[in-house]
């Protein structure tokens, strides 16, 4: 995708039903990008690449208008809603820059931070991720569940994802090319970034609450994303049943010996209904749970073996 006059910096922005936000985003980010401090003695050149993720409102028209106003604003429009992770993949595939910065359209991530990211990039880092100094912009339950998730993920997986970091980060072209090579359909981007390695560093910033439009992520969507993240990064949830099974079998063995001895020395008593019930119900529950976990992985294998495209582009604005 590299063309002769490729810009230095690509800002990729997945958008779903954001008609009220596009204008404000373009105005603010264009202003910031146009006044970036010089890098190696030259003003950094840039592009903004929107990925319209199946918007049902006038988002696409707003993007067309933005492109007419400034040809450095390009876009892809997907054939339907593929989800933010797929939209980000589309953005990475079509970005032209030597550095790529994924960003949400809602301006929760201040574009001014890009200047810091560029500096760290010039120091030789390949990934510069933004870390939220505070999460006050999020509600308490969201903060608590996010905390819990990062802890669970990093405990279960060997690819640690940095806490309080979102998708807002700068990626060197090298890293982008690696992500593009990853064939999986389940694209939990933070997991892919973590897996790819490279020299990574953080810049801190304050995340502000969304001022216009509303969040596209309810708790159910976040839960699904969390399961995607863990199942794509770790097989511990599959393995844990072997250990649990072994432990229960061992305990049953001791219990059996105890029962036999008790019968031999003290004779038979007919009681034993509670222990039967407990054992049956407990084991039944454990088996269903483990089957469910197995099913999660099998379902994901099905999605992967179908080899369907991750996204479908319906229209490109401002060149491929
Ligand atoms: N988004 C998307 N596809 C979706 C849902 C969201 O491209 O199916 C975009 C959305 O337009 C926004 C970004 O992803 O630019 C982050 O969404 P949002 O601000 O709603 O998430 P939150 O900040 O609440 O986690
Ligand atoms: Mg947001």
């Amino acid at each position: 995708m590299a063309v002769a006059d490729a810009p230095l910096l690509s800002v990729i922005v997945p958008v779903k039903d954001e008609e009220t936000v596009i204008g404000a985003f373009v105005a603010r980010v264009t202003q910031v990008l146009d006044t970036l401090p010089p890098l190696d003695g030259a003003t950094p050149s840039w592009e903004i690449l929107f990925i319209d993720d199946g918007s049902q409102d006038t988002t696409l028209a707003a993007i067309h208008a933005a492109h007419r106003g400034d040809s450095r604003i390009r876009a892809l429009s997907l054939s339907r809603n593929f989800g933010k992770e797929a939209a980000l993949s589309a953005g990475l595939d079509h970005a032209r820059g030597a550095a790529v910065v994924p960003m949400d359209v809602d301006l929760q991530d201040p574009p001014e931070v890009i200047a810091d990211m560029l500096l760290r990039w010039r120091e030789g880092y390949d990934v510069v991720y933004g870390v939220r100094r505070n999460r006050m912009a999020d509600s308490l339950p969201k903060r608590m569940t996010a905390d819990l998730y990062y802890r669970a993920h990093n405990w279960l997986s060997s690819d640690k994802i940095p806490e309080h970091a979102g998708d807002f980060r700068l990626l060197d072209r090298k890293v982008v090319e690696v992500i593009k090579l990853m064939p999986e359909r389940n694209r939990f981007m933070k997991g892919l970034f973590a897996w790819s390695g490279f020299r990574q560093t953080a810049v801190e910033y304050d995340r502000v609450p969304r001022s216009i439009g509303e969040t596209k992520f309810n708790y159910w969507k976040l839960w699904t994303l969390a399961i995607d993240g863990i199942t794509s990064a770790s097989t511990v949830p599959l393995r844990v049943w072997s250990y649990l099974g072994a432990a229960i079998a061992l305990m049953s063995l001791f219990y059996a010996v105890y029962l036999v001895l008790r019968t031999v020395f003290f004779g038979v008593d007919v009681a034993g209904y509670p222990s039967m019930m407990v054992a049956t119900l407990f084991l039944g529950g454990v088996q269903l749970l483990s089957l469910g976990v197995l099913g999660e992985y099998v379902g994901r294998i099905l999605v992967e073996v179908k080899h369907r495209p991750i996204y479908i582009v319906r229209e490109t604005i401002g060149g491929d």
Side-chain angles (χ1 to χ4, degrees):
M1 213 60 59
V3 288
D5 56 348
L8 185 72
L9 177 70
S10 299
V11 176
I12 59 172
V13 196
V15 285
K16 160 95 199 313
D17 297 338
E18 303 278 10
E19 56 185 6
T20 52
V21 192
I22 301 281
F25 178 88
V26 168
R28 168 112 179 261
V29 175
T30 303
Q31 200 266 327
V32 169
L33 293 177
D34 274 338
T35 53
L36 281 173
L39 216 61
D40 308 334
T43 322
S45 57
W46 55 265
E47 65 173 359
I48 295 175
L49 176 64
F50 284 110
I51 304 95
D52 167 33
D53 186 17
S55 297
Q56 302 281 348
D57 62 1
T58 61
T59 296
L60 193 56
I63 294 173
H64 269 289
H67 170 69
R68 280 193 298 274
D70 189 334
S71 61
R72 293 173 294 181
I73 297 168
R74 301 195 295 132
L76 308 168
S77 183
L78 304 186
S79 66
R80 63 170 170 84
N81 180 242
F82 282 87
K84 184 184 171 188
E85 311 295 310
L88 274 177
S89 301
L92 291 176
D93 287 348
H94 291 83
R96 296 169 176 164
V100 180
V101 176
M103 227 177 137
D104 290 355
V105 76
D106 53 13
L107 293 172
Q108 285 191 272
D109 308 315
E112 289 78 11
V113 179
I114 293 174
D116 302 339
M117 291 180 169
L118 283 170
L119 283 180
R120 304 310 302 271
W121 178 51
R122 267 301 181 259
E123 286 171 17
Y125 289 101
D126 304 308
V127 178
V128 188
Y129 53 86
V131 172
R132 299 157 202 178
R133 200 173 287 134
N134 62 56
R135 286 193 77 120
M136 290 309 154
D138 294 328
S139 65
L140 186 67
K142 170 119 188 231
R143 285 206 301 273
M144 280 167 43
T145 45
D147 253 22
L148 206 67
Y149 172 70
Y150 283 114
R151 245 177 264 156
H153 183 109
N154 288 342
W155 184 59
L156 292 172
S157 164
S158 48
D159 316 320
K160 312 290 179 213
I161 44 182
E163 279 182 50
H164 310 302
D167 293 317
F168 183 38
R169 58 184 67 211
L170 180 144
L171 305 162
D172 183 81
R173 172 58 43 194
K174 285 198 286 286
V175 184
V176 174
E177 293 302 323
V178 167
I179 306 274
K180 279 161 71 173
L181 285 178
M182 297 186 186
E184 55 253 66
R185 271 65 201 153
N186 176 6
R187 302 192 76 77
F188 180 68
M189 291 312 266
K190 276 184 263 199
L192 300 190
F193 295 146
W195 183 88
S196 66
F198 291 99
R199 293 192 65 200
Q200 308 212 359
T201 189
V203 292
E204 289 199 329
Y205 71 100
D206 292 309
R207 196 164 205 249
V208 295
R210 200 190 236 268
S211 53
I212 21 180
E214 50 195 47
T215 177
K216 307 288 176 298
F217 286 89
N218 55 32
Y219 277 100
W220 182 250
K221 265 183 140 184
L222 286 173
W223 168 249
T224 316
L225 187 67
I227 307 238
D228 280 349
I230 288 183
T231 50
S232 64
S234 167
T235 51
V236 173
L238 282 174
R239 225 175 307 141
V240 68
W241 306 107
S242 321
Y243 295 113
L244 192 66
I248 292 177
L250 199 68
M251 285 191 305
S252 320
L253 196 68
F254 287 128
Y255 189 51
V257 171
Y258 161 74
L259 284 182
V260 167
L261 292 180
R262 201 182 65 167
T263 314
V264 168
F265 290 109
F266 302 102
V268 187
D269 54 7
V270 181
Y273 176 75
S275 55
M276 286 283 286
M277 276 317 273
V278 168
T280 312
L281 291 177
F282 176 68
L283 281 179
V286 167
Q287 284 176 13
L288 282 180
L289 197 66
S290 58
L291 259 182
V293 173
L294 204 64
E296 279 292 328
Y297 281 85
V298 173
R300 270 148 236 275
I301 297 172
L302 178 66
V303 172
E304 297 295 338
V305 297
K306 281 194 211 163
H307 278 293
R308 298 217 175 136
I310 296 162
Y311 57 87
I312 299 165
V313 178
R314 190 180 59 83
E315 180 188 345
T316 55
I317 301 163
D320 196 10

